[in-house]
Amino acid sequence: MSVAKKEFKKVTTHSLQEMKTAGEKIAMLTAYDYTMAKILDQGGIDVLLVGDSASNVMHGHETTLPITLDQMIYHAASVVRAVDRALVIVDLPFGTYQGNSKEALKSAIRIMKESGAHAVKLEGGNEIKESIERILTAGIPVMGHLGLTPQSIYKFGTYNVRAKEEEEAKELLENAHILQKAGCFALVLEKIPAKLAKQVASELNIPVIGIGAGNGVDGQVLVTHDMMGMTHEFNPRFLRRYLNLYDEMKGATERYIHDIKTKDFPNDKEQY
Ligand code: KIV
């Protein structure tokens, strides 16, 4: 399938801006380990997010809150080692930036220095503006994240669509402008009405990447384990699965066990 695509040897924050200007959609996926990151990068993905969704899909926690800065750095360093082309962005985990901009800067510096990543992402609007501004003073690019922000799940109480009501929509729009003005190079919008997301993307100059935010934004992101069908109990409307790896891998495991139990594996050609 041929699509209009700008050729970047290495994707940078500036490339994303160029893509927005050229009307080319940005493709982003999550990655947490070397092998997966290698496949996605070789496949031509523009951006890899070392998301704190690692807390769910890699560590088995119910929320993103438990994952630590050390654990995020461990995942990020593995991803960076695999990547030739993609821009690698890392989530600052819960408790490492809220309410203390000096700690935010320290956390962001640790991520950049110890993992070799290219940018960080923080959840929230006006309330974290000071943290964003301080991180930017060190020359670290920052991506914002509004709408459903999973680190605040206990405030929201549910993973339902955000900003459906006028007041919350207005607040989100204001926060999007605040983040752009503060210096964010891009913004993620999670699980909000498509009409609102389209308005944000058209009002902002910076690229807006959506997850469950419709088609009127500048790019899309999904959690790779969901998109590849490795998870199978999470079925939000916005998720398009490109493979059913859960069943494929479970089936392969069953066939492997069968072959061992029946003494079929290894055969004569599979030994020394
Ligand atoms: O942690 C994550 O995977 C994310 C994406 C869902 C945007 O923040």
Side-chain angles (χ1 to χ4, degrees):
M1 199 189 331
S2 147
V3 285
K5 205 162 180 263
K6 274 183 164 281
E7 283 311 320
F8 297 107
K9 227 169 150 215
K10 275 193 187 297
V11 179
T12 65
T13 56
H14 298 277
S15 320
L16 301 190
Q17 191 62 57
E18 282 181 46
M19 288 163 84
K20 171 157 182 151
T21 306
E24 178 185 335
K25 299 277 186 183
I26 297 161
M28 171 163 151
L29 281 168
T30 62
Y32 322 101
D33 67 83
Y34 177 87
T35 303
M36 185 71 89
K38 182 118 236 151
I39 296 167
L40 304 178
D41 187 56
Q42 295 289 311
I45 199 74
D46 298 312
V47 184
L48 284 177
L49 172 68
V50 185
D52 59 359
S53 49
S55 181
N56 310 109
V57 296
M58 299 300 286
H59 298 210
H61 293 295
E62 210 171 300
T63 72
T64 57
L65 276 65
I67 199 160
T68 66
L69 186 58
D70 284 340
Q71 287 167 335
M72 289 302 294
I73 290 169
Y74 166 85
H75 289 296
S78 309
V79 168
V80 169
R81 281 193 287 272
V83 163
D84 288 328
R85 178 182 176 274
L87 180 76
V88 179
I89 305 172
V90 184
D91 267 338
L92 279 192
F94 176 69
T96 64
Y97 63 95
Q98 294 98 335
N100 184 338
S101 62
K102 286 193 181 151
E103 173 146 13
L105 176 60
K106 218 167 128 195
S107 307
I109 287 178
R110 274 203 64 201
I111 286 180
M112 302 297 282
K113 217 185 219 329
E114 296 177 38
S115 76
H118 312 129
V120 296
K121 174 164 83 61
L122 281 68
E123 293 182 7
N126 194 37
E127 72 282 7
I128 57 153
K129 184 169 153 265
E130 197 183 310
S131 291
I132 291 173
E133 284 169 345
R134 200 179 278 268
I135 293 170
L136 286 164
T137 63
I140 300 171
V142 177
M143 173 179 254
H145 183 157
L146 293 172
L148 177 63
T149 46
Q151 291 180 12
S152 307
I153 186 58
Y154 291 117
K155 183 175 98 181
F156 298 143
T158 73
Y159 286 98
N160 291 346
V161 179
R162 305 302 312 171
K164 274 165 70 172
E165 306 305 327
E166 202 181 322
E167 202 178 319
E168 197 184 335
K170 191 167 158 265
E171 194 188 339
L172 187 141
L173 196 56
E174 278 167 16
N175 274 322
H177 280 279
I178 288 169
L179 293 181
Q180 170 169 276
K181 197 153 172 246
C184 286
F185 73 90
L187 174 65
V188 165
L189 292 179
E190 180 164 354
K191 224 173 171 185
I192 65 165
K195 194 167 161 227
L196 174 62
K198 188 174 177 184
Q199 185 183 354
V200 176
S202 69
E203 286 189 17
L204 295 196
N205 300 319
I206 58 172
V208 175
I209 316 282
I211 171 165
N215 200 15
V217 289
D218 306 305
Q220 300 293 327
V221 56
L222 285 175
V223 169
T224 297
H225 288 61
D226 299 332
M227 173 272 198
M228 296 286 185
M230 292 170 93
T231 53
H232 71 141
E233 280 161 0
F234 179 63
N235 285 303
R237 186 202 296 197
F238 67 76
L239 174 61
R240 185 180 292 183
R241 290 192 200 283
Y242 287 80
L243 285 172
N244 182 357
L245 281 187
Y246 184 91
D247 284 343
E248 288 281 328
M249 293 173 82
K250 187 163 164 273
T253 308
E254 287 162 0
R255 292 199 304 280
Y256 174 68
I257 294 167
H258 172 271
D259 290 352
I260 292 171
K261 302 284 181 191
T262 57
K263 302 182 182 150
D264 176 73
F265 176 75
N267 63 25
D268 289 349
K269 288 187 194 143
E270 291 164 329
Q271 63 191 7
Y272 300 98

